[in-house]
Amino acid sequence: MHSSRRAPLSVVAAATLVALSVTALPAQAAVTAEPGSPTTAVSAASAAGVGSHRLDRPALRGSLDAFHKAGMYGAYSAVRDGSAQWRGATGFADIDTNRPTRPDFEHRVGSITKTFTAVAVLQQAGAGRIDLDAPVARYIPDIVSDERGRQVTVRMLLNHTSGIADYVLPAFPGILENPGKTLDDNRLRKIAPEELARLGLAAPPVAERGTHSYSNTNYILAGLILERVTGQKAEAYITRNVIRKAGLRHTYFPSSPAIKGPHARMYESFFGLIDPARDYSAYDMSWAGTAGALVSTTSDLNDFYRKLLSGRLLGAAQLREMKTTVPAYETEPGEEVRMGYGLGIYTLKMPSGGWYWGHDGGVFGAGTWALSSEDGRRQVAIGYNLMKYQRFDSEGRPLPDPVTDALYAHVDGALAGTPAPPRGVTPQRSPGTQALPALPIGPDALHQASLR
């Protein structure tokens, strides 16, 4: 590969790897919030979505198939409207054998794990064992021993305003120069959460404290706080008190590199630097821990978010704290904020006009996106098995991306109850109206993040 192409791609790749998920940020990727005093970016009334609709099963089937036809290897989706459900799958679970996907596949869900971890921390806050506005040094003084231990609060970890850098790049040295070799060499590597925290704390901060800046280190630290407070491994606590409480049957922290149930191979392209894309479905996920190691299914994710948003996993006060958001990006004067990040969950305004709650996730080879209306009635969760499929020109600018357009169309159409046009052919907006937010793992967010 020519060095002139590798250089800008490496910059974009770096922007991606600082998060297990690059969240749905529009052009500007950081915003200052008053430390310890989160603002509510979206009112409860406006976050309810656009209403309930019958499930248009042919449209759902068609838009999911369009996602595969656009270039995605395989995908599986679950959509709900009240008690009505639709599940579908498209494309290939294995591109060598053409084994088809199935709707019930287990899948690595990446940063959706953060919602589970936040629920566990908020449970302890409700029990009076964790103070969200207490400094982290109260709980882990040996891990965050500098001034950050006194100034960063638990809340700042959960809403990504701590200013602490991400650990992912330093945990995978050499990944920008030779991603395939680096990922292969680390397939079976075990790494302790304390080491992940050390790497993140030692890395240069990318944002000032009080500024929203996504960092997986925040959720590794949150998991370590959970361990100190409960006296048990964070994964064990989350399993007993979040996963089982929600009645999820196919959601778990993996105990080995393998996924237990039926699953697709999970292919990583790394923007074409791994060619052909390589399967990383078997991988030791200790590198992600309480920030992104969970395995789940699309149906389980819908169950989880419905129970969470309807108040069955947290008390009313803790759910309000979770849904208190900071703007997830900086707007122009007078511009509406279309995404707010709460405590392990975000709210996002979709092109169809509705506000929805949820999270996205991305690990090597696996992408996931789950969104729900505020009452949990209308939901979609989708998993797919080719990551960093986007391509960029020699200057690092994103090329046309029909795959992301088709993903956006399926998710937005599923939530709105009507077929949605691909993002690339969205009807033109009137002068002065806002552009759509960048997709969670779309090239717009990656490119803009690379320019920070």
Side-chain angles (χ1 to χ4, degrees):
M1 181 166 295
H2 298 299
S3 59
S4 62
R5 177 171 172 79
R6 178 178 294 272
L9 283 180
S10 295
V11 174
V12 175
T16 310
L17 286 174
V18 296
L20 301 179
S21 137
V22 178
T23 49
L25 306 183
Q28 294 81 20
V31 62
T32 300
E34 183 68 23
S37 302
T39 60
T40 302
V42 184
S43 71
S46 67
V50 294
S52 180
H53 306 270
R54 288 192 311 112
L55 295 180
D56 188 337
R57 299 171 190 273
L60 292 169
R61 173 80 264 166
S63 64
L64 187 62
D65 285 342
F67 184 35
H68 168 57
K69 292 174 183 175
M72 178 52 58
Y73 289 168
Y76 13 93
S77 175
V79 182
R80 294 182 182 175
D81 184 5
S83 60
Q85 301 187 41
W86 176 88
R87 296 195 305 166
T90 190
F92 304 119
D94 186 328
I95 60 173
D96 293 325
T97 65
N98 287 349
R99 174 169 60 95
T101 57
R102 289 170 27 187
D104 62 344
F105 272 170
E106 293 182 354
H107 188 74
R108 299 197 189 279
V109 301
S111 279
I112 289 176
T113 305
K114 290 179 173 66
T115 312
F116 288 77
T117 299
V119 169
V121 172
L122 285 163
Q123 287 175 344
Q124 291 297 300
R129 300 187 187 97
I130 291 178
D131 181 347
L132 293 177
D133 295 311
V136 297
R138 177 183 296 184
Y139 307 102
I140 47 173
D142 54 322
I143 294 174
V144 191
S145 57
D146 58 10
E147 54 87 20
R148 289 175 293 187
R150 300 183 297 274
Q151 297 186 13
V152 171
T153 66
V154 177
R155 186 189 303 275
M156 290 177 184
L157 298 180
L158 298 183
N159 67 11
H160 297 293
T161 60
S162 71
I164 296 172
D166 200 280
Y167 66 80
V168 176
L169 275 178
F172 289 88
I175 194 168
L176 298 182
E177 294 74 24
N178 193 337
K181 182 180 187 302
T182 300
L183 293 183
D184 287 348
D185 289 347
N186 286 278
R187 281 182 187 269
L188 303 180
R189 173 192 180 197
K190 290 192 177 296
I191 183 167
E194 292 83 358
E195 175 64 10
L196 297 175
R198 185 191 68 77
L199 291 170
L201 290 164
V206 297
E208 294 182 2
R209 186 177 305 118
T211 297
H212 178 86
S213 182
Y214 197 90
S215 171
N216 292 292
T217 311
N218 290 325
Y219 274 77
I220 296 298
L221 293 171
L224 290 170
I225 290 173
L226 195 61
E227 291 187 0
R228 298 291 175 86
V229 170
T230 65
Q232 55 188 294
K233 289 293 185 183
E235 290 86 351
Y237 178 88
I238 294 168
T239 298
R240 293 190 186 98
N241 295 280
V242 182
I243 295 172
R244 291 180 183 170
K245 184 175 181 178
L248 309 182
R249 300 178 59 189
H250 302 284
T251 301
Y252 57 92
F253 287 96
S255 58
S256 74
I259 296 175
K260 293 189 297 186
H263 61 278
R265 293 185 181 275
M266 298 175 187
Y267 296 94
E268 179 62 48
S269 172
F270 215 91
F271 309 109
L273 296 179
I274 301 177
D275 188 15
R278 202 167 299 172
D279 171 30
Y280 291 106
S281 53
Y283 214 92
D284 189 298
M285 293 302 294
S286 60
W287 71 270
T290 50
L294 273 181
V295 173
S296 190
T297 64
T298 54
S299 292
D300 264 15
L301 291 179
N302 282 340
D303 281 345
F304 169 67
Y305 280 107
R306 177 169 288 185
K307 289 175 180 176
L308 172 62
L309 293 168
S310 62
R312 284 179 276 178
L313 301 181
L314 290 173
Q318 282 66 53
L319 187 57
R320 282 195 301 271
E321 294 277 20
M322 185 175 226
K323 292 165 67 178
T324 299
T325 66
V326 295
Y329 64 100
E330 185 177 348
T331 62
E332 297 295 330
E335 182 183 357
E336 178 189 24
V337 176
R338 297 168 66 92
M339 180 187 174
Y341 199 97
L343 307 185
I345 194 170
Y346 60 65
T347 183
L348 176 67
K349 187 174 184 179
M350 297 294 281
S352 53
W355 285 93
Y356 299 94
W357 291 94
H359 214 287
D360 59 275
V363 296
F364 304 122
T368 317
W369 199 12
L371 291 175
S372 299
S373 59
E374 187 172 41
D375 59 6
R377 180 178 178 85
R378 190 79 189 196
Q379 300 183 286
V380 61
I382 185 170
Y384 41 97
N385 68 342
L386 173 64
M387 285 300 285
K388 301 180 200 68
Y389 52 79
Q390 298 91 350
R391 296 294 181 265
F392 298 80
D393 66 18
S394 61
E395 301 300 319
R397 294 174 299 222
L399 296 172
D401 181 10
V403 181
T404 296
D405 290 345
L407 172 58
Y408 211 95
H410 176 73
V411 171
D412 193 30
L415 292 169
T418 57
R423 187 175 57 163
V425 295
T426 300
Q428 289 191 346
R429 299 177 298 276
S430 301
T433 60
Q434 293 175 280
L436 304 180
L439 199 62
I441 40 67
D444 301 337
L446 301 183
H447 179 60
Q448 291 296 336
S450 74
L451 300 179
R452 283 189 290 173

